[in-house]
Amino acid sequence: MPKVIEKTLAAETIKGGVHQRIIHDSAFKHVTGQAQYVDDLPEPRELLHVFIAQSQRAHARLVKLDVEAVRRAPGVATVLTAADVPGENDFGHAHCGDEPVFASDTVVYFGQPIFAVAADTVANAREAARLAVVEYEDLEPILTVRQAMERKSFLGEPMQLVQGDWEAALAAAPHRAKGSIEVGGQEHFYLEGQASLALLREDGDVYIHCATQDPSAVQHMVARVLGRDANAVTIEVRRMGGAFGGKETGATQFASIAALVAVRTRRPAKVRLDRDDDMVMTGKRHDFCFDYDVGFDTDGRILSIDIVLMQRAGYSHDQSRPVLQRTIYNCDNAYFLPSARLTGYACRTNTQSNTAFRGFGSPQGNLVIERVMDEIAYALGKEPFDVRMANLYGESERNVTPYDWVLKDNILPRIVDEALEVSDFAARRQAVVAFNRQSRIVKRGIALMPLKYPVGFSARFLNQAGALVHIYQDGSIHLNHGGTEMGQGLFIKVAQVVAEEFQVDVDRIKITATVTDKVPNTTATAASSGTDMNGAAAQIAARAIKTRLIDFAAEHYKVGEEQIVFEPNRVRVGNQLIPFDALVKQAYENLISLSAFGYYRNPDIAVDPVTMKGRAYHYCCYGTAVVEVAIDTLTGENRVQRVDIVHDVGKSLNPTIDMGQLEGGFVQGMGWVTSEELVWDDRGRLRTHAPSTYKIPVCSDRPKELNMRLVDWSRNRENTVYRSKAIGEPPFNLAISVFNALTDAVASVGNYRFCPDLDAPATPERILMACDALRRRLAAEG
C-alpha cells in the first residue's frame, strides 16, 4: 500500500503549470553553449562533409558539366549530379516538379545547386568543386516582378477575391486615390544555418538529424528522392537555432543531398551551409509590388478598394501560392472593407524560390492597407489615426471580412483604448506636431496601428497534430509530439499543459526530440499554431491516461469517481491523499496502461477554392502598437524612440515566453521595414549575402523605450488549450507601425499635405529621397 498523507496540507500549486512564468526549458543550455544543434552532435567515424556547387548564371542551358577532375581530387569520396538521383530529382513540397535537387538541363537562378562533392573535410570538398568544367548557354532572365508581369510569367492562374459590387461602389465614391508601393523581402538570418546529418541504418534505411520545422514533409520528400518508401527514412529534430519559416520546405533539399551521399557511399554525411552559401541558395520572404485604387467618403471610410498584388515567387512554386492567398486574406488588417477586388499574381522570376517567413504573407497585406489609410488621411487633410478609427472593424456591425468570415470575438476597440491610455498618444501627437514646426532638420513621427491577426492554416488538412505521453513506474513522464522547437518555447508550453493535467511539477516531464518514428504525419510547426495543436494533442493523451487512473482508483479504493481529485503532486482519493508516484506504481501493478497517443484536429476550417470565401482561420489575436521615431532629413538616418504595445494572447500559458516572443517578433519586423534590404544585380546575383551587406537589427537598434503588456482580461472564445492564443507571428506585424511612424515623420517635411512616396524597407536612402521629393512638390505647388 502506498504511504497515505493523513492530513490536508496548506494550499499548494505545482511548479511549472499553465499560466506560470517559467523560463525556456533550454535557456541555461543556450547561454552556456550546452544546447546541441545538428552541427554540435559528435561526428561519427568516416563522416563525409558535403559542399554544394552552385550555378553562376541566373538563366542558362547547362551545356557541359564535367566533374571527372573533381572525383579524382584529394579526399573526395563521391560527386553527385542530377544523373545520380535514384528516385525523383525533385524535393518540392508543392509536388509541381519544378524544384530539382540538382539542375540538369537548365539553371534557373544564380546559386542553384548543380552538383555536390563529399570529402573528408569541407575544405577539400570546396577546393575539389573548383575543378569542375561547367559551360553555359545564356538565356534571358526575368529578374523583377514588373518584368514578370510584362511577360506574363506566372505560377498558376491569378487569385481573386471579390466582395460586393466593388466596381460600382468605386465609381460612385465621392473621393478616390490611386497609388503604388513596393514592399521588400527579407532574409531569415537564423543563427543556425541549414544543416543535416545523415546516418545509414540496416536495410539501407536512413536516419537524419535535421534542422527543420517540418520533419514529416522532409521524411516524405527524402524518401521520394531516394526512391524508397517513407518508412525507410526517419527524421529527428531536437532543436533549431532559429527558423522563422526558412526551415519548412528549405531544409528538404539539403537533407536529400546528405541522404544521397550516405546511401551512395555507405558512410555518414553532413551538409552544413555557411552563411554566404545559405543566403545565396535559399528563398526569402516574398517581396511585392502593390497597385491600389480606393474610394472613400468625407469621413475617410473606405467604400470600395481594388488592389493588385504582384508577388516575386522566384523560380518555383514552393509555398508562393499559399503565401499569396494569405496576403490577399490579410489586405484588410483591422479594417472593414465593404466592397473590394483583390487580385494576386505569383510571378515566376529567375531568383531564389521565395518561401515561408514569419507571418506567411500577412505582413505584406497589412502594410499595403496601412499605406492606404495614410493615403486617405493626407488626401482629406485628416489625422491618420482618425481615418484608422473610422475604418476599424466593429464588434457587432461592420465585422465581416472580405472572405465572409464573421468576427465574433473582436476585442480590438478595447485594446486600442488601452493603448491610447498607456501611451498618452493624444498628448504626444500634439507634441510631435509642435516639435516639427520648430525643428528644420530633425523631424519626429508618431503612429498608432491596430492589428487583427488570424491564426491557423487555411488548408484544412494541416490542422491536425499528434502527441505521445508515457508515465513510467516511478511517476516520471515522457513527452513527445509533432511540434518542433526553434527557440520559441513550444516544448516548455506543451510540457506545462501536461504538468497541469496531472498536477505534477514540470521538472517531472522529460521533453524529447521530435522524431517521425514516434509521432507520424505531423504538420509543420508554423502559422503560430504549434501550441494550439500540439498542446491540445498532448492534453488529449494526458487526459486518456488520467481517466484510466481515475477509473482504477475508484475501483481499487471503492469510491466514486467524483471523489478523486488530482492535487499538486498527489491524488485525493476519498479522504486519502496518495502521492502521484505511488498511485502510478499501483496502477502499473494492476495492469493499467500508462501510455497514450493523443490526436487533435480542427475541422472547422472550410474555404471555397474558387471564390476564396469561407472560414479560413480558427480565431484572431488582436494588438495595438504606438511608435514614435525621429529622422534626420539631411541624411535619412532614423531612430525608434519609443514603442508601446498592448497585445492579446488570450490567457497566457507562459507570460515569460510570450513576452520574449512579443519583443523578438517586433524587433525582427522592425528590421524588415527599416534596414533589411535585399539587392540583386543585373545578372541576378544576390549582392547582400552576408552580415557585412545585409543589416539585421543589432542591440543598439532596439527602441530607446520599449513598453509591452499582455492584456490580462482576454480569454480565447475558441476551444484552445486553457483559453490561450498564439504569439509567434502577430508581434512581427505590429512592427509595421514603425513604417507608419516614419511615413508620418517624412510627411511633416511637406507640412502633412501629401502622402510620402516611401517604399519598404524605409532605409536612410529611401527616407532621404522621399524627403527631397516632398520638398520639391511643396515648392512646385506652393
Side-chain angles (χ1 to χ4, degrees), residues 124-422:
N124 279 342
R126 186 183 293 271
E127 285 302 311
R130 301 178 189 274
L131 302 175
V133 178
V134 185
E135 295 179 4
Y136 303 95
E137 179 185 329
D138 288 335
L139 301 170
E140 186 176 3
I142 297 174
L143 300 178
T144 69
V145 166
R146 296 293 183 182
Q147 288 176 354
M149 291 296 293
E150 290 173 6
R151 302 184 197 180
K152 301 188 184 307
S153 176
F154 304 133
L155 294 169
E157 295 298 315
M159 295 182 182
Q160 190 168 86
L161 174 62
V162 175
Q163 178 75 333
D165 190 349
W166 69 273
E167 196 167 16
L170 193 59
H175 301 278
R176 199 158 165 180
K178 295 182 180 181
S180 298
I181 185 171
E182 293 185 5
V183 178
Q186 187 178 24
E187 166 61 34
H188 299 87
F189 220 97
Y190 24 63
L191 291 179
E192 173 203 31
Q194 298 284 354
S196 286
L197 171 63
L199 308 172
L200 205 63
R201 296 293 194 236
E202 287 185 350
D203 304 319
D205 292 356
V206 181
Y207 195 100
I208 305 175
H209 296 273
C210 181
T212 179
Q213 297 169 246
D214 198 351
S216 286
V218 172
Q219 172 195 22
H220 285 271
M221 298 306 106
V222 169
R224 189 174 72 186
V225 169
L226 294 176
R228 300 289 302 275
D229 289 335
N231 61 12
V233 178
T234 302
I235 307 296
E236 177 178 330
V237 189
R238 174 55 186 92
R239 63 173 60 85
M240 290 165 278
F244 312 115
K247 292 175 182 174
E248 283 187 51
T249 59
T252 309
Q253 184 171 27
F254 309 110
S256 296
I257 292 172
L260 286 167
V261 171
V263 170
R264 179 73 171 266
T265 63
R266 304 195 65 77
R267 292 169 62 177
K270 180 162 68 175
V271 173
R272 197 269 300 160
L273 303 186
D274 67 20
R275 180 65 60 187
D276 291 82
D277 289 339
D278 196 309
M279 292 182 72
V280 167
M281 280 192 272
T282 61
K284 325 295 178 194
R285 180 185 298 281
H286 294 79
D287 49 308
F288 274 80
C289 293
F290 295 98
D291 294 338
Y292 54 85
D293 185 355
V294 59
F296 47 96
D297 64 18
T298 53
D299 293 324
R301 279 193 171 186
I302 291 176
L303 302 175
S304 184
I305 191 168
D306 183 20
I307 304 178
V308 179
L309 307 86
M310 295 159 279
Q311 172 205 66
R312 185 210 294 260
Y315 77 89
S316 72
H317 280 77
D318 198 294
Q319 300 207 49
S320 291
R321 288 185 64 82
V323 167
L324 180 60
Q325 181 189 50
R326 193 175 183 100
T327 307
I328 291 172
Y329 282 152
N330 283 267
C331 277
D332 60 340
N333 184 22
Y335 312 114
F336 177 63
L337 305 179
S339 297
R341 181 178 70 167
L342 310 172
T343 308
Y345 297 87
C347 298
R348 187 195 293 268
T349 58
N350 293 113
T351 51
Q352 292 83 352
S353 188
N354 287 329
T355 190
F357 201 129
R358 194 177 200 165
F360 205 75
S362 68
Q364 298 94 314
N366 285 179
L367 197 148
V368 66
I369 197 66
E370 291 298 319
R371 164 53 57 84
V372 169
M373 292 296 139
D374 288 336
E375 190 85 64
I376 294 170
Y378 295 118
L380 294 174
K382 288 182 173 291
E383 279 287 322
F385 168 76
D386 292 337
V387 172
R388 286 176 167 84
M389 292 305 98
N391 287 284
L392 198 68
Y393 272 116
E395 297 175 69
S396 58
E397 297 179 334
R398 293 170 56 86
N399 64 341
V400 182
T401 70
Y403 46 97
D404 289 345
W405 183 28
V406 179
L407 302 177
K408 297 179 180 179
D409 64 342
N410 183 13
I411 58 174
L412 193 51
R414 183 175 174 182
I415 289 178
V416 169
D417 287 344
E418 193 169 317
L420 287 169
E421 180 181 351
V422 301

Side-chain angles (χ1 to χ4, degrees), residues 46-53 66-81 84 115-132 261 264-265 267-269:
E46 298 188 315
L47 175 68
L48 292 173
H49 299 267
V50 181
F51 175 76
I52 300 171
D66 185 350
V67 295
E68 289 308 310
V70 183
R71 299 183 195 279
R72 296 192 297 268
V76 172
T78 191
V79 179
L80 298 178
T81 69
D84 300 306
F115 66 92
V117 185
D120 55 354
T121 66
V122 173
N124 279 342
R126 186 183 293 271
E127 285 302 311
R130 301 178 189 274
L131 302 175
V261 171
R264 179 73 171 266
T265 63
R267 292 169 62 177

Side-chain angles (χ1 to χ4, degrees), residues 358 655-665 708 727:
R358 194 177 200 165
T656 297
I657 295 295
D658 289 346
M659 288 292 280
Q661 286 292 293
L662 185 56
E663 180 176 0
M708 305 180 299
I727 185 63

